Structures are given as C-alpha cells and as structure tokens.
Amino acid sequence: MIALEVEGLTKMYGEVRALDFISFHVNEGEIFGLLGPNGSGKTTLMEIIAGVRAPTSGSVKVFGLDALREREKVSRLIGFNPQETMLYGDLSGWENLRFVASLYGMDDREFRRRVEELSEILGTKGFLDKRVSKLSGGQRRRISLMASVLHSPHLLILDEPTVGLDPEARRDFWEVIWGLRDEGSTILLSTHYMEEADELCDRVAIMDKGRIVTLGEPEELKRRYGGTAKVIVYPRLRLIGEAERALRVMSLKLTRMGDGLAVDTEEPEELVPVLITSLSSRGLEPERIEIRSPTLEDVFLNLTGRPLAEVME
Ligand SMILES: Nc1ncnc2c1ncn2[C@@H]1O[C@H](COP(=O)(O)OP(=O)(O)OP(=O)(O)O)[C@@H](O)[C@H]1O
Ligand SMILES: [Mg+2]
C-alpha cells in the first residue's frame, strides 16, 4: 500500500519558489528520508503534508485520502514532529504529554499505557517529571518525539529529529525509529546528515532549491552517481610535492585533498599495495593510506556541482 503520494506540489512564498512541482511517493512501512541543504524546501514540504501549511498547487494523498480536503481524518493518521520542538517549558514532560493526549481525546487509561510503553522504548522514564526547561536538548527531543507518536500514527513525519544530538544519541535514536517502524509506522524524516540518510533510510530523496534532484535507495544512488572509489595517500607533509610527481608519472587520476593525494580507482584494494611499493622505492613511504567509497555527499556534489557541506550552516 502507498502511505503517501505527493503530486506536482508547488509552494510560492511571494516571489520565492520554495517547492517546484515536487512528486514522489512513500510505501507503507518505509523509512523515507529527505536530504538537502538549508533552504532546499524540506520543512515546507513536511508542513504541507502535515496539513499545517497550504500549498500553492498540487496534491497530497495520505493512505488514499486527500490531505488537503479531508484534513481532519488525515490528521488522525499523522504524527508531526516539527523542526523546533513545541513543548511548554514550564510544564513537565508528563504534563506536556497529557495535554497532547487531551487534544487527541485519549482516555486516561490508554494514555498511561502508552506513556509507559513509549518511555520504555525511548528511555525517558527518569526525567518525565522534570520541567522541560530543565532538560537537555536530547531529552527534550525524546519527549517531543513521544508527543508525536502518542496516538500511534500511521505516518510519522519528523523534521530533522537528530539535529544537535551527539553521535551516540543519534544512533540510539535510529534504534527508536526502527522500533517504531516495527510497530507498524511509516516514517518520513528530513536530515542534514548524509550518514544518517544512508544508514537509517530505505529510500532517500535528495533535494536542492525546491526540487528533488534524485531519489532511490542509498546504495543505488551511490552506485549510479557517486563516482569511483578513491585511495587517499598521506605522504609526509614536506614530501607531498615529490610524492605527487611520483604518482603522476604512474599516470594516475590524481587530485589534492587537504594533506592527501586522492587517486580515483575502480579497484582500490589492488591499487593500495602498488602505491605503497612504488612510493617506498623512492623513499616516500606514506604515513597513512585510506580507502574511501562513494558517499551520498559525492552524489550531491556530482549532481549539483556543489559540495553539500559548504552550503550548510
Ligand atoms: N514562512 C516563510 N516565508 C517566506 N519564505 C520562507 C518561509 N519559510 C521558508 N521560506 C523560504 O523557502 C525556502 C525553503 O525553506 P525551508 O525552510 O522549507 O527549507 P529547509 O530545507 O527546511 O531548510 P533548513 O535545512 O534550513 O531547515 C527558503 O528559501 C526559505 O527562505
Ligand atoms: Mg527545515
């Protein structure tokens, strides 16, 4: 079954075209990622799908229902976690959740059961009673995530849920997302982090300037648009010029990358010993050698001509 179907979605903010005729779909049970630099339109797209912003034109269907016409029915199927968490700082996590539950008309027993279950999965038991203003960013994120999944939404929409989390907390969060998917949710999330899109998502849409530049499974995108692997040689710094000349003589495809020399190759494992032998025979033993497979970062670079990192804050 198709969980979400977006067709020809366009959003103008005055003269700014934030979304430019976007079309894609998300299958039920999928973890689908929107990946793109600042201002590429991720939040606008998610807000329209969640029904908190109107598009200029185009259509959105959630489990077959027209999200723009049947707002109320659709809102019961969706859980939306906005980019800025919307919790009341003066209330405890528990009180915030009770307020959200009242909006969904949950009865008290059901509410308590669900909080018990979710606080187990999300590890929030220890601080549910604390005032939200006294919690760390990561703790707040987790409470806010509880709020958006309280009513067991079929489609969960998460706008940059892991921004500001340290790498360890980010990995814990992925476990949570996998858990929610196993519970039956379909997940649409946005991220800045290439690695997150790669490891967490079944499929990814790479966005830029209000458009989907490409869409597919991370492995497939890397294979098609990621370019070749690289072997990066780090010679001793004062010998880098000499090492570069030595490698050029071997007519390798070579670029400088910081303190390293990057060689494009289809067969990195075979090239490494050749490079070591050849450099060592000239007294240029490298200090370090690295094999780098293509990443989604390379995909973005190859398709847009700009590095993703440079255009981010
Ligand atoms: N309320 C608004 N009024 C006017 N322009 C807006 C508004 N919200 C967003 N924009 C513009 O629309 C474009 C898309 O912004 P959006 O916030 O959707 O991008 P994003 O991909 O979520 O960015 P970020 O990674 O920074 O969160 C940008 O050019 C932005 O300046
Ligand atoms: Mg955003």
Side-chain angles (χ1 to χ4, degrees):
M1 178 151 195
I2 291 181
L4 169 68
E5 197 164 9
V6 170
E7 257 188 61
L9 208 63
T10 296
K11 175 68 183 179
M12 304 291 300
Y13 292 112
E15 297 287 289
V16 178
R17 190 176 289 269
L19 296 178
D20 191 6
F21 211 76
I22 295 250
S23 302
F24 69 104
H25 77 273
V26 177
N27 297 311
E28 184 170 17
E30 225 174 7
I31 300 177
F32 191 97
L34 299 173
L35 179 69
N38 291 133
S40 52
K42 304 180 296 294
T43 296
T44 302
L45 176 57
M46 297 180 123
E47 286 177 345
I48 293 173
I49 295 166
V52 300
R53 194 178 282 290
T56 305
S57 60
S59 75
V60 177
K61 279 191 183 149
V62 175
F63 292 101
L65 296 170
D66 186 325
L68 309 172
R69 297 221 177 79
E70 306 187 73
R71 277 270 278 287
E72 212 154 287
K73 269 191 203 160
V74 168
S75 71
R76 260 175 264 144
L77 299 174
I78 287 182
F80 178 43
N81 197 221
Q83 192 161 3
E84 311 291 335
T85 67
M86 303 217 286
L87 299 170
Y88 296 102
D90 290 342
L91 299 182
S92 70
W94 175 273
E95 288 163 336
N96 268 282
L97 293 171
R98 203 171 48 194
F99 172 67
V100 172
S102 73
L103 297 180
Y104 288 117
M106 285 173 93
D107 68 52
D108 198 52
R109 261 189 56 202
E110 170 63 6
F111 168 66
R112 282 170 195 277
R113 191 191 61 74
R114 190 73 178 138
V115 168
E116 180 68 26
E117 180 179 83
L118 287 172
S119 55
E120 194 74 48
I121 304 176
L122 287 161
T124 54
K125 275 210 169 126
F127 51 84
L128 271 180
D129 291 335
K130 274 202 187 165
R131 261 200 210 195
V132 164
S133 59
K134 302 249 147 92
L135 300 177
S136 75
Q139 291 173 327
R140 255 181 249 184
R141 277 261 156 217
R142 280 187 272 171
I143 302 239
S144 149
L145 186 65
M146 275 178 87
S148 48
V149 299
L150 210 52
H151 61 305
S152 311
H154 292 288
L155 175 62
L156 181 57
I157 302 175
L158 306 170
D159 196 358
E160 304 212 18
T162 62
V163 84
L165 298 187
D166 59 53
E168 199 184 329
R170 196 171 298 156
R171 281 181 180 276
D172 289 345
F173 182 83
W174 297 354
E175 300 276 346
V176 171
I177 297 295
W178 285 316
L180 290 169
R181 190 253 299 271
D182 293 345
E183 247 198 340
S185 286
T186 302
I187 293 141
L188 173 70
L189 64 89
S190 66
T191 182
H192 266 155
Y193 304 112
M194 283 288 167
E195 192 207 16
E196 179 160 276
D198 197 340
E199 295 205 25
L200 177 60
C201 299
D202 301 314
R203 287 194 305 148
V204 178
I206 298 189
M207 294 183 65
D208 189 36
K209 299 180 179 159
R211 294 186 183 182
I212 292 177
V213 182
T214 186
L215 185 157
E217 291 170 21
E219 288 309 315
E220 175 198 340
L221 296 181
K222 288 187 288 185
R223 204 168 47 238
R224 282 171 65 181
Y225 306 113
T228 58
K230 287 181 168 49
V231 174
I232 309 173
V233 180
Y234 296 90
R236 297 182 63 176
L237 220 40
R238 65 187 166 79
L239 298 176
I240 192 165
E242 214 174 314
E244 189 171 354
R245 279 189 294 280
L247 293 178
R248 287 219 188 279
V249 170
M250 297 167 70
S251 58
L252 295 166
K253 191 160 181 289
L254 202 66
T255 41
R256 279 257 188 144
M257 259 177 70
D259 294 340
L261 301 167
V263 185
D264 283 356
T265 172
E266 302 283 349
E267 279 143 355
E269 286 82 4
E270 275 137 60
L271 184 61
V272 168
V274 176
L275 290 178
I276 294 179
T277 313
S278 156
L279 286 169
S280 302
S281 71
R282 296 174 168 83
L284 298 166
E285 295 83 355
E287 298 208 301
R288 189 153 67 83
I289 282 197
E290 199 179 287
I291 293 179
R292 239 197 61 179
S293 312
T295 62
L296 290 177
E297 172 85 54
D298 298 317
V299 174
F300 188 86
L301 176 69
N302 291 335
L303 290 176
T304 66
R306 308 189 324 280
L308 185 90
E310 224 169 66
V311 282
M312 293 188 326
E313 69 225 301

